[in-house]
Structures are given as structure tokens and as C-alpha cells.
Amino acid sequence: MHAYRTHTCADIRTDHVGETVRLSGWVHRMRDHGNLLFIDLRDHYGLTQCVIDADKAVFKEIEAQRAESVITVTGKVVKRTPDTVNAGLPTGEVELVIKDCKLQSAAGELPMPVFGDQEYPEDIRLRYRFLDLRREKMHANIVLRNKVIASIRKRMWNAGFQEFQTPILTASSPEGARDFLVPSRLHPGKFYALPQAPQQFKQLVMMAGFDRYFQIAPCFRDEDARADRSPGEFYQLDVEMSFVTQDDVFAAIEPVITGVFEEFAGDRKVTPAPYPRIPYKEALLKYGSDKPDLRNPIEIQDVTEIFRGSGFGIFAKMIEGGAVVRAIPAPGAGGLARSFFDKMNDWARSEGYAGLGYINIKDGSPGGPIAKNLGEDRTATLRNQLSLGDNDGVFFACAKEADAARLAGLARGKIGLDLDLLAKDEFRFCWIVDYPLFEYDEAEKKIDFSHNPFSMPQGGLDALESKDPLDILAYQYDIVCNGVELSSGAIRNHLPEIMLKAFGIAGYDAETVEKEFPGMLNAFRYGAPPHGGLAPGVDRIVMLLADEPNIREVILFPMNQKAEDLMMGAPSGVSPKHLRELNLRIIDLDA
RNA sequence: GGGGGUGUAGCUCAGUUGGUUAGAGCGCUGGCCUGUCACGCCAGAGGCCGCGGGUUCGAGUCCCGUCACUCCCGCCA
């Protein structure tokens, strides 16, 4: 007989009755009746109830074990009597009568129980991640992650993509997020950087003639965490293709994404290909965001003209000063108490905005201060434009365009949640397209790349030479699902003159560009295929499929919000010898 | 760096208007229990009420500061 097991804890059924079997696993739960003792034995695969009574020699030894100890039990499989069958357990018709038991590893008193679905503080969960991962939900999330990645790989390989590995130790580049740096021992004072993404490498793979590349790629960015952003590192399905248009990229990736989602979505509905394509500008207007949650039926409209020169003086005056007014319908809210509207206004103030105006239509008659001051005609025009019903409400965000769009978008989300308007159990995908190539950086007071500096401008070199930089669009796109940005991508620029010109507009002179991007620029000069790609976030895909609000729930060993690994104790200090080897010295800037 | 929330037993939480000795469930220790599957019953141990300062006759409770965790803003091409 095998030293540890003849079956797993999920295997035993009525066919095994009478057989002597051996199981190994964790003591999930123990029920001690004094002269009769039940153990639920758990392994990766499932649970089997084991039973022993007091006459057996090993009884005392077993009775002394704590939950989560690892044991090996040997004994005969018996059928349970009908009144003791556990219908909630796949192995619930049988049990193992323990004849022999061996303790493999004793567990101490637990800092957090594995059994049950009680919630625990995250710092304890992260410090004892190995215990946390034994719990049913976490275990299932990580198994799901494995399946999703396997499915992605299969789909990509079947679509003719090849998987390559790119360097982890590479060069820092001037744009983008903060880098993680690794000191070089052989080159004192010089550093490697961990890649923020294999962006330049995957483009160079195209220039090397490989045509269709993908990788489940680790990416490293030294940026602060969010619920959907793990600090330090994350994984992307990194994709690049040669001789493609934007439509070719969409056509290649949509079946992969839809396929993976359909495979693991269960009863949840998935947007079929092709996904709706929403220009960036339209998204900001209609949804107040470039990552709209399309499960929310509310659409924002511009109503600036209705308020221009109107009796509602606050808005009229702001419009003269360059503000716009965005209307956010709240279907069915007209019948709600005044407090609903007041609370929305308080909420807007708490978000740092001046406030949110409103009209509440009750049984066909519009109420509130705006309706009163705007006058009947204009209010009627408004109702008509927004197709408001007899008991709808509508909120107004008045501010400079970017702020108004942002506030309207936040209000759209809040109204959708508060009024429970979101289509449940659906994955709604869309492409956001036509991003601007540049944006004005208020902090630095200069024009900078808005997304990816390697994107191809729409209109090519002509556009760069003739248009206002802020009006130039790029072949740049995002996949958005349920308000989560899954991926950004672009058709890349493959011409050195466009690269130099575009970087020039962003304030990098030719010499700097030659120095910072020698590999790319050189490759452009020796025959570069037109190419493009994208990089959906793998962690976020799993997070959506697992229906988890926090990305750490789908990562085996995540760091906490302050980018510390509480289990391994990272980051940590290093020895003076270690530092000396690397030609480093720690200095105290405050001293 | 800024804003919000939380912090009471190993864990999850309650704790009234500032008032006697700070409670419950789970877990832990001991005892009883031969059909449980959140087993049951009895007993017990376990507290720097995050930390520091202040107000007060008196602070878990009020005030100030600070720390930890978390959510958000900044940041994330």
C-alpha cells in the first residue's frame, strides 16, 4: 500500500465499500463524542468523513490532534446508514472506519481558522497566506486562475500565436510609471529596470519577423495600489501582430476574450463579438468615463444650450465663463423622497465638486429649484431631449468640460447602483477607440503622450506636422468590461521619422530619443513591419470571472497596499557586504 | 503626499448620556457524551479597550496627536 494514499479525499463512493483504503490530508473539522469521534479529512480534491470509536488503540492519539494537522488514515470504507447520509457531500454516502492513523505534521493553535467562511483582517490573511489559501473560496479562485490561463494559452496557440519569453532585467525608459531598479554589480552606479511591460521587446519580436507573439507576461510598476491594482507586479496577456490594421487586432482578440469568458462565466451572459466601438470623446460625453460600465443603462447628455442665458442664474453665469452642463437621468427617481436628491448633492460635495442640481418629475410635474427658475418652455425642451417620463428624475453637473464629464460619470455610476439599474450577471464588453495621442500635462505645463508613446498617429507624419497636437488621434484602443479597463493597445508606429517627430512634440529632442530607445529606433531603420497589439490584464480577467471586488483575492501571494509581503518580510534590509558588492551605500536624506 | 473608514480576548463582534469588577459567539484548556457533519452539555483560562498626551472626581466612551490596516484622490505611457 502506498505510504500516503490510495485515493484522494474526493474519490470514495459506495463502489469502494468493503475496501481498505488510505487517505492523507488536513483535519478539517473534528467532532468528538467521547467514545466516538468523527474527522472530516480534507485535501485539494475534497472531504471524506472518517470515524473511529474508543476501543481502537489510536483513538487517544487522534483525539489530541488539532484542526489543520496533517494525518494519514487507513481503514475500511463502509456505507452509511440511510439516516446518517450527508447529502451535501459528494462522499456523503460512505465513511472511512479508521484502523490506523499516523500524524504527519501537527498544527499549532490557528491564528485564523480554515473552516467556515468568516471574514478576517487582510494583514492576518496575508501573513498566513498558506492558511488563507486552504480556504474553499481562495482555493477555488486560484484553481480558476490556472484554468483561465490554460484556456488563454490554448486559444492563442490555436489562433497561430507563439509564446516567447522576454527579459526581466532590462533598461529603464523615461516615460511611464516609476521603475523598479536593480543595481548592477559589474557596472557600478548603473541599474537594470524591471519591465513595466514587454512593450519594446514585443515590437522587436515583430521586427525579428515572428509575426504573431503572445506571452503571459509579468509587469512591474512601482505605483500605489488600488482594489483592482496590485502593487508592484501583475500579469498581462501580452499580444503583438504584424501587418495588421486595428480591425485585424480586434478580430483576433475578441474570440479569445469572449471564448474564455463564456467558458468560465457559468450562467452569466457575455457580449458576443464584435464588441461595440465607442470613440473616446463619445465615451466621455455619454458615460463620463473612458471605462464605462455598459451594464448601467443611463446615458449622459449635454444640455448646455438649454441652460445658456436661462433663468437659472448659477448655471447661466458659469456657462458664460466656459462651463458646460451635463444631464444624468435617474429613471424612476422622481417619486423618491426629496432626501434622495439632497443626499446626491451632499455626495457630490464630498467628492470635491460644487454640487449636483436636479429636477424631480412627480406625476408629470417637474419639481425643485431648477425647474422653477428654468421656466416651463425650457424644462419641456429638456424633458423632450432626455425622454424623461412622468416620474423620472434628472441630475445636472455644471463645470468646465473635463470636470463636468467626470462628475456626471461618477453620478451615473452612483445612481445606477443606488437605483439598482445595473444588468446583473452580464459581462458587457466594448472597445474604446480614437484616443488622443497627446494631452496637456497641467503639472509639468507641457504636452505629453496621453497613453503609449509608440502609437501610430491617425494621419501619420502629416498630422504631426500640420495639426494642433492636442487634436491628433492615435490608433489606440482599450477593452473595457463592466467598467473595468482590461487592456490597452495600439497600432504602433514603425517609422523612425514619426517616432522622432512625436517625441519631439512631447519635448524629447532627437539626441535623447536616440539614446533612450536605441534598440527600437535602430530596428525601425532595418525593415520594420507595420504592427500592433494589446495587453489584457490577466489578474483583472480572473477577478471579473471570480466575481471578486479585490484583485488580491485572485493572486496567490500578493503584497499589501504598502507593497510589503507580510509573509516573506519583503522588502528587507541587506547586509553591508551585500551592499558593498553592489557599490551601494544607504544614506539618510533627513539626517 | 492628501481625504474617508476601521482599530475592544487568538478570531468575529457588542459595549447605553462619561459611572461599580469590560461582555457574547467561535477557538483554546479540563470534564461528560457511541451517529455527528456549524455535534451537544458543564467548568476554566484568556484584555496595555492600537499607542501617547489632554479634559474630568471618574475615559473603552470626549478632545488632540500618532501608529496600523483598508478604500479613494494624486500616481498608474
Side-chain angles (χ1 to χ4, degrees), chain A residues 227-230 539-540 543 549-555:
Chain A
D228 64 351
R229 206 164 79 203
S230 182
D539 313 86
R540 286 187 180 169
M543 181 179 158
N550 191 302
I551 203 160
R552 294 185 292 272
E553 303 296 311
V554 298
I555 298 174

Side-chain angles (χ1 to χ4, degrees), chain A residues 116-307:
Chain A
D117 48 13
Q118 178 74 56
E119 297 210 34
Y120 299 96
E122 204 168 11
D123 46 341
I124 293 177
R125 293 180 54 200
L126 292 178
R127 193 177 302 275
Y128 299 96
R129 191 60 160 180
F130 48 89
L131 288 179
D132 193 35
L133 288 165
R134 289 182 197 168
R135 304 174 76 212
E136 199 175 355
K137 178 68 180 161
M138 284 304 296
H139 212 79
N141 282 354
I142 299 303
V143 168
L144 172 68
R145 184 186 174 106
N146 160 72
K147 288 181 179 165
V148 166
I149 288 176
S151 173
I152 287 172
R153 281 213 163 94
K154 246 176 270 167
R155 289 169 196 277
M156 293 302 288
W157 285 326
N158 289 344
F161 288 89
Q162 299 175 84
E163 184 173 13
F164 300 129
Q165 289 69 51
T166 50
I168 300 300
L169 292 174
T170 182
S172 177
S173 79
E175 88 303 334
R178 275 185 293 272
D179 288 316
F180 282 102
L181 296 177
V182 179
S184 161
R185 174 180 57 85
L186 294 174
H187 302 275
K190 291 188 174 175
F191 295 83
Y192 302 95
L194 305 185
Q196 297 185 21
Q199 179 65 36
Q200 293 187 63
F201 287 114
K202 71 171 170 177
Q203 293 190 236
L204 286 159
V205 168
M206 293 301 98
M207 291 173 228
F210 288 103
D211 206 63
R212 284 157 91 87
Y213 146 95
F214 87 100
Q215 181 181 191
I216 308 290
C219 303
F220 305 91
R221 296 178 192 174
D222 187 3
E223 293 300 331
D224 290 339
R226 289 289 182 276
D228 64 351
R229 206 164 79 203
S230 182
E233 52 190 80
F234 60 97
Y235 285 82
Q236 286 184 337
L237 165 58
D238 198 40
V239 179
E240 200 72 6
M241 310 160 72
S242 283
F243 304 112
V244 287
T245 63
Q246 182 168 296
D247 284 342
D248 294 327
V249 175
F250 290 6
I253 209 68
E254 279 170 347
V256 174
I257 298 288
T258 290
V260 168
F261 270 77
E262 279 177 342
E263 186 175 346
F264 300 105
D267 297 332
R268 294 168 289 182
K269 211 172 112 188
V270 182
T271 306
Y275 303 157
R277 297 166 193 196
I278 307 169
Y280 173 79
K281 248 189 131 160
E282 182 185 329
L284 286 191
L285 174 64
K286 284 169 77 171
Y287 310 107
S289 167
D290 65 350
K291 37 181 184 175
D293 188 344
L294 295 184
R295 294 173 303 169
N296 184 337
I298 297 173
E299 289 192 3
I300 300 161
Q301 290 195 32
D302 187 276
V303 292
T304 308
E305 292 314 312
I306 295 175
F307 281 91

Side-chain angles (χ1 to χ4, degrees), chain A residues 360-380:
Chain A
N360 57 327
I361 306 170
K362 200 163 193 175
D363 300 326
S365 56
I370 290 184
K372 200 187 295 171
N373 290 298
L374 197 58
E376 274 185 33
D377 287 355
R378 288 185 191 239
T379 303

Side-chain angles (χ1 to χ4, degrees), chain A residues 6 31 88 109 116 128 272 274 338 351 428 435 454 516 533:
Chain A
T6 56
R31 291 174 295 279
E109 192 178 338
Y128 299 96
R338 165 88 187 271
E351 293 286 314
R428 289 275 183 91
Y435 277 82
F454 306 116
E516 298 284 358

Side-chain angles (χ1 to χ4, degrees), chain A residues 90 102 107 112 185 253 272 288 291 353 355 368 396 476 521 561:
Chain A
K102 182 162 192 271
M112 53 168 286
R185 174 180 57 85
I253 209 68
K291 37 181 184 175
Y353 296 90
F396 301 99
Q476 167 98 41
L521 214 39
Q561 197 177 34

Side-chain angles (χ1 to χ4, degrees), chain A residues 362-419:
Chain A
K362 200 163 193 175
D363 300 326
S365 56
I370 290 184
K372 200 187 295 171
N373 290 298
L374 197 58
E376 274 185 33
D377 287 355
R378 288 185 191 239
T379 303
T381 308
L382 197 63
R383 282 187 68 178
N384 197 33
Q385 181 184 329
L386 297 169
S387 309
L388 296 177
D390 281 350
N391 283 296
D392 287 344
V394 57
F395 289 93
F396 301 99
C398 180
K400 286 274 182 346
E401 181 161 356
D403 280 341
R406 203 176 140 70
L407 173 57
L410 291 172
R412 172 180 179 268
K414 182 165 169 60
I415 293 164
L417 280 180
D418 287 357
L419 299 181

